[in-house]
Amino acid sequence: MFSRRNFLRTGALAVAATAVSNPVKLFGQARRATASPKMELTFEPYDALLRYPFTIANFTRTTTPIVLTKITYDGYTGYGEAAMPPYLGENQASVIAFLRRVDLSRFKSPFEIEDIMTYLESVAINNTAAKASVDIALHDLVGKIMGQPWWKIWGFNPDTTPNTSFTIGLDTEEVVRQKTREASPYKVIKVKLGVDEATDKMMINTIRSVTNTPIAADANQGWKDKHYALEMIYWLKEHGVNMIEQPMPKLWLDEAAWVTERSPLPVIADESCQRLTDVPKLKGAFTGINIKLMKCTGMREAREMVSLAQALRMRLMVGCMTETSCAISAAAQLAPQMEWADLDGNLLITNDVYSGMKIVDGKITLNDKPGIGIVKI
Ligand code: MG
């Protein structure tokens, strides 16, 4: 039998034979070996300033803590980012502590994404945004070395990207009307619900007093009764809402299944769906899943979630945190496979540091730049 060891030995002999017959090549190889490039990971904290105070069911905030990462290798630079909304349990200190423990010198090249991401799991559990900040920088780097954007490397059709929704948070009627008018270039408005019936209906009615644009609703786990959730979903459908995200608490899968079975709208898991391993458990409980890079450790696992959800015949959405155009453009690489997209995080901050994926006439529009398609502003 042709054993691996024999194969390696034969291979080594073949290389040696080639080298002897071609001393110039041997010299070249030896030179490259001694000067082999190294990956260097650097990072810095960054506070994203919000255009509006952001309110969802449980709290309000005016900034989002971010850590910007950079991996350099052989003259190329890949950019990454960790964005940490407080409810995910990470912060700048935890991300920086994690990244300080990451030793990329044990890997030969950024093309070893599979091994590097497996290694990151061994550094510490959880820390998904910190891991995503490395994953995104690696993908940007590898794409730049290959000279291609990831949507192209993955074989996706850029014409099939969805419209992105533009999020309007809970606020007074006057502010909601103003935000709705500002959202006029967008083809879908996303509304955060889940406070109480009067507030939820006020939000929808206020938006409807300005526009008939389709609405995607997100209850952010705010409804605590399955019968009430179903009633609200019927009411929302009558008011031009076309999907509902995470109506009830993330662990209520039986209740979610009850609602999904009866719902006239697609019911999408967000908080219930963090990582690849969650996806099979959600089949039947939800119509589809909302994939976010900060929840699932980045582009590598997100790509796997896409395939798994498609195999399970679940519908797909891509979402984001409040992020710069770095993480947004990384997530946008997956957009051609998505039915819904909520990639407006960069538009909600006033101090973006990158330029990348653009929304043109409401639609996610991918560019031809290599990697994740961004340049520093
Ligand atoms: Mg959500």
Side-chain angles (χ1 to χ4, degrees), residues 38-113:
K38 288 259 177 276
M39 280 183 279
E40 193 187 344
L41 170 67
T42 54
F43 39 86
E44 57 174 317
Y46 190 78
D47 288 322
L49 308 176
L50 305 187
R51 208 172 284 283
Y52 296 103
F54 190 73
T55 304
I56 60 172
N58 310 317
F59 62 94
T60 299
R61 60 194 158 84
T62 55
T63 63
T64 293
I66 282 173
V67 172
L68 298 172
T69 56
K70 197 161 84 170
I71 301 176
T72 54
Y73 174 83
D74 202 16
Y76 294 92
T77 301
Y79 296 109
E81 170 179 7
M84 285 84 63
Y87 56 88
L88 286 182
E90 292 180 78
N91 52 54
Q92 286 168 333
S94 73
V95 169
I96 286 168
F98 179 90
L99 295 174
R100 283 198 178 124
R101 294 177 62 190
V102 172
D103 173 19
L104 293 183
S105 72
R106 58 174 71 199
F107 300 97
K108 286 191 297 293
S109 97
F111 284 87
E112 296 172 20
I113 292 176

Side-chain angles (χ1 to χ4, degrees), residues 56 87 190 192 217-221 245-246 268-271 290 292 295 317 320 342:
I56 60 172
Y87 56 88
K190 180 165 175 173
K192 300 291 197 173
D218 187 351
N220 282 114
Q221 316 183 71
E245 209 179 306
Q246 200 69 45
I268 306 301
D270 183 3
E271 288 87 341
N290 182 349
K292 295 178 179 171
K295 294 190 297 188
M317 169 173 184
C320 64
D342 181 24

Side-chain angles (χ1 to χ4, degrees), residues 200-216:
D200 287 358
K201 288 184 173 174
M202 176 280 285
M203 285 293 294
I204 300 296
N205 286 329
T206 306
I207 291 166
R208 279 288 166 261
S209 72
V210 177
T211 178
N212 286 321
T213 299
I215 296 174

Side-chain angles (χ1 to χ4, degrees), residues 182-203:
E182 287 173 22
S184 61
Y186 297 91
K187 303 285 192 278
V188 184
I189 288 173
K190 180 165 175 173
V191 187
K192 300 291 197 173
L193 304 178
V195 178
D196 55 56
E197 187 172 352
T199 312
D200 287 358
K201 288 184 173 174
M202 176 280 285
M203 285 293 294

